[in-house]
Amino acid sequence: MQLTAYQKGIGAMLIATILFSTSGLFVKLLEEDVYTIAGFRALFALFPFAIIYRRELWNVNAQMFLSAILYACTCLFFVIATKKTTAANAIFLQFTAPLYVLIGEPLIFGLKYKKLDILTVLAVLVGMGCFFHDDLGTGDMIGNLIALVSGVTLAGFMLNQRKNSQQYHASAIFWGNILLVGFCFFFLPSDMAPSPVEWGMLLFLGVFQIGIAFSFFTFALKRVLAVEVSLMGTLEPILNPIWVVVGYGEFPTTWAMAGGGIIVGTLIYRTIYLSRRSAIADEEF
């Protein structure tokens, strides 16, 4: 049976989302410090990018380097947050990035704030509040604050990538990994000694969870609608804690699940609502 381009795109997006969602489990399983994890993860991610994108990686401009810095910060903050709090808290709080995007977009691109955007911001804020209820129970307050910062840097990365031409998108991540390698290796402990199994985990995080996953994501973007990419992307914060529960035995708190449900549910509703509005407008036209 011959798959259509659309079916291949959906399959690629599903693979990308599953790979993206494995980060929390491996960060939890690795007993190394955050600089070892983030640094070698970034180092190993360089190889698939060099093989797949080749000449694209030399498309550079000043705005691309800003994206690279924001990407590097997001990756490092996420690893720190996942180590210092529950994986569920880390990924759900990072997924507050759309909140900052909704706030920043009108300021950067000269757009008007819409009622739906304001309601989305309020709903996400309620979801965020759930994470900080009763000191997050099993979570660590510093870890959750760092996770929030990773959401801010991720939003900045998303906005800056949107401002820049698509030809610079892959190079931004490639050079972001180079920056992260340089920064983390400066802080590597002298007694660093990952086991063979841990080296395998680090290799997976770099090659598959970042490099291969991004290539599948790029493939999907060219073959499916943006709304479908957005909806399938919301599987990542849902799957991430599930892998951690199954493979590490760490359960999110009830408030964390409630907050995550509000945030993800709001983003899904907003995406579906806007897609329907767009479809109606096209029919009327």
Side-chain angles (χ1 to χ4, degrees):
M1 178 181 174
Q2 187 72 25
L3 294 177
T4 65
Y6 173 77
Q7 290 172 327
K8 291 178 181 178
I10 291 293
M13 187 60 204
L14 182 59
I15 293 172
T17 302
I18 292 173
L19 289 173
F20 283 142
S21 70
T22 59
S23 58
L25 173 60
F26 288 103
V27 170
K28 284 292 186 183
L29 289 173
L30 284 161
E31 297 182 359
E32 302 301 316
D33 67 291
V34 295
Y35 298 109
T36 299
I37 296 172
F40 280 101
R41 178 196 188 199
L43 176 65
F44 291 137
L46 297 176
F47 297 102
F49 269 84
I51 294 171
I52 296 169
Y53 297 101
R54 300 180 185 179
R55 294 181 180 179
E56 265 186 74
L57 304 179
W58 299 103
N59 295 333
V60 297
N61 62 7
Q63 198 165 329
M64 183 281 297
F65 280 110
L66 176 56
S67 287
I69 293 171
L70 290 167
Y71 167 84
C73 291
T74 300
C75 290
L76 179 59
F77 292 153
F78 176 75
V79 172
I80 295 173
T82 302
K83 280 295 189 183
K84 286 188 170 293
T85 186
T86 64
N89 290 351
I91 189 64
F92 281 130
L93 287 172
Q94 186 183 69
F95 255 71
T96 59
L99 164 68
Y100 316 117
V101 170
L102 289 175
I103 294 173
E105 264 186 332
L107 299 175
I108 296 173
F109 298 102
L111 305 174
K112 292 183 179 180
Y113 285 106
K114 300 177 181 178
K115 182 179 179 180
L116 178 61
D117 294 340
I118 296 173
L119 293 175
T120 301
V121 168
L122 292 175
V124 173
L125 285 173
V126 171
M128 287 169 56
C130 291
F131 286 92
F132 291 92
H133 179 271
D134 197 26
D135 291 331
L136 294 172
T138 60
D140 179 276
M141 184 62 72
I142 295 177
N144 286 277
L145 290 174
I146 293 173
L148 276 179
V149 174
S150 77
V152 175
T153 55
L154 176 58
F157 171 76
M158 293 164 64
L159 288 169
N160 200 59
Q161 287 284 78
R162 180 180 168 185
K163 284 183 65 179
N164 210 3
S165 173
Q166 191 171 351
Q167 65 179 311
Y168 299 103
H169 288 185
S171 59
I173 296 179
F174 178 77
W175 288 98
N177 281 313
I178 289 179
L179 291 175
L180 189 54
V181 169
F183 178 81
C184 288
F185 278 24
F186 185 76
F187 294 99
L188 286 181
S190 57
D191 58 347
M192 179 202 70
S195 67
V197 173
E198 288 183 316
W199 278 120
M201 293 182 190
L202 291 169
L203 187 67
F204 178 88
L205 282 173
V207 173
F208 291 95
Q209 195 269 324
I210 294 180
I212 301 300
F214 183 78
S215 67
F216 274 109
F217 178 76
T218 304
F219 180 90
L221 277 178
K222 299 175 182 177
R223 291 163 178 82
V224 299
L225 298 175
V227 61
E228 293 169 316
V229 171
S230 298
L231 286 173
M232 293 186 71
T234 57
L235 284 173
E236 181 185 349
I238 297 172
L239 291 175
N240 186 304
I242 292 176
W243 301 142
V244 175
V245 169
V246 173
Y248 188 70
E250 177 188 86
F251 287 81
T253 66
T254 301
W255 282 102
M257 289 189 290
I262 292 171
I263 292 171
V264 174
T266 298
L267 297 177
I268 291 174
Y269 174 80
R270 183 178 187 276
T271 301
I272 294 175
Y273 177 82
L274 289 177
S275 66
R276 288 178 176 175
R277 285 285 300 272
S278 177
I280 292 172
D282 289 341
E283 289 177 3
E284 291 177 347
F285 179 78

